[in-house]
Structures are given as C-alpha cells and as structure tokens.
Amino acid sequence: MRVEDVKRVLAEHHVLEGYREFATSSATVELAALAAGCEPGRIAKTLSLHTAEGPVVVVAMGTARIDNRKFKDTFHEKARFIQGDDVPTLVGHPVGGVCPFALNEGVKVFLDASLRAFDPVYPAAGAPNNAVCITLADLERVTDGVWVDVCKV
C-alpha cells in the first residue's frame, strides 16, 4: 500500500510525527482544511501534470491555481493535467491522496512559490483521508523539490 511507502519516507526523514489520519475525507482542499483544522491556503495540494520529460507534480498553496503563462515560461510547454484515471499509474497515488512523497520512479517534484504564504503546510500522504503537517524546509528536503513560480493566488 502506498500509504505505508509514504510513512516509510517520512520516518526515514524524521518527520513522521507530522502524519495525520482522519476519520473523514480529505480528498479536496476544502475537506482537507476541515479535517486538519486549518485555512484552505495551508493545504499543500499536489497537482499532477504531463511534460515532455514525463509526469511531474507541482505542490501549491491550496487556493492557488496554475497560471498558464508562468507554467509555459518555466517548462516551455503548455500545462496539461494528467486525467484522473491515469494518475495512480503515472504518479503513484490515487486522486484525492496525491502527494509529493513515495512517487513513481522518475516523477519530479516542483514546489510552487505560493506555498511560502504558510509554514507549516499540509500535503496529502497517499490516501484521501490523511495528510502530513510539515515545514517548508522539511518539504523541500524530503522531496528534493525544486522551487518554481507557476501559480496565481
């Protein structure tokens, strides 16, 4: 199960204490914010996209949206979201639980500048009913994420 893989990664990086499992769904930003007891912007949503070099994830502030111009300027191609049915196969997690941890091999992680509005943040942790409370420094360290500015808030 991918949740166990996520927990293993979090434990290896000494941030497992931030793991939270909820009795309710956290599959959307709004539901995750309710479950975590925080504002929606503090939810670190993980967006799955196609690029010429393969699938990538962009972790952004919960209320941010991809800015097509910024995305094209950064990646030199149009933003194309991975369709829901293809997300588990290409990225490694189910829709509603997509996170930047324990991804399929080769999936690159990008951290959007919009995240800097909040610290700590709550990305999902591999299932539609969990999250991990993590600082931005730890998120960058655990994911080897590259900072980009491809969203609008």
Side-chain angles (χ1 to χ4, degrees):
M1 180 179 236
R2 294 311 294 243
V3 172
E4 293 308 315
D5 293 338
V6 170
K7 286 181 173 180
R8 182 184 43 75
V9 168
L10 297 175
E12 287 171 358
H13 289 89
H14 309 289
V15 293
L16 183 59
E17 69 278 357
Y19 177 82
R20 308 282 187 271
E21 195 164 301
F22 308 118
T24 61
S25 175
S26 58
T28 67
V29 169
E30 292 76 20
L31 291 173
L34 284 171
C38 68
E39 58 270 56
R42 194 173 290 278
I43 301 302
K45 66 182 174 184
T46 304
L47 306 169
S48 306
L49 297 115
H50 289 287
T51 70
E53 295 184 17
V56 301
V57 295
V58 174
V59 186
M61 180 175 70
T63 55
R65 300 181 60 119
I66 292 287
D67 180 306
N68 289 322
R69 171 53 41 206
K70 287 181 175 183
F71 189 92
K72 190 165 188 176
D73 289 348
T74 300
F75 291 97
H76 310 291
E77 59 187 292
K78 184 178 176 181
R80 295 179 301 124
F81 288 95
I82 298 173
Q83 295 300 307
D85 291 345
D86 295 330
V87 171
T89 303
L90 295 175
V91 176
H93 296 293
V95 173
V98 177
C99 67
F101 316 108
L103 296 164
N104 287 349
E105 189 172 331
V107 177
K108 294 181 182 174
V109 177
F110 295 91
L111 307 174
D112 186 70
S114 62
L115 286 172
R116 291 190 170 124
F118 296 97
D119 195 7
V121 294
Y122 291 84
N129 69 330
N130 66 13
V132 60
C133 180
I134 191 167
T135 66
L136 294 179
D138 283 338
L139 181 64
E140 180 180 5
R141 178 178 59 83
V142 172
T143 64
D144 287 326
V146 175
W147 286 96
V148 294
D149 183 4
V150 296
C151 289
K152 55 186 168 189
V153 290

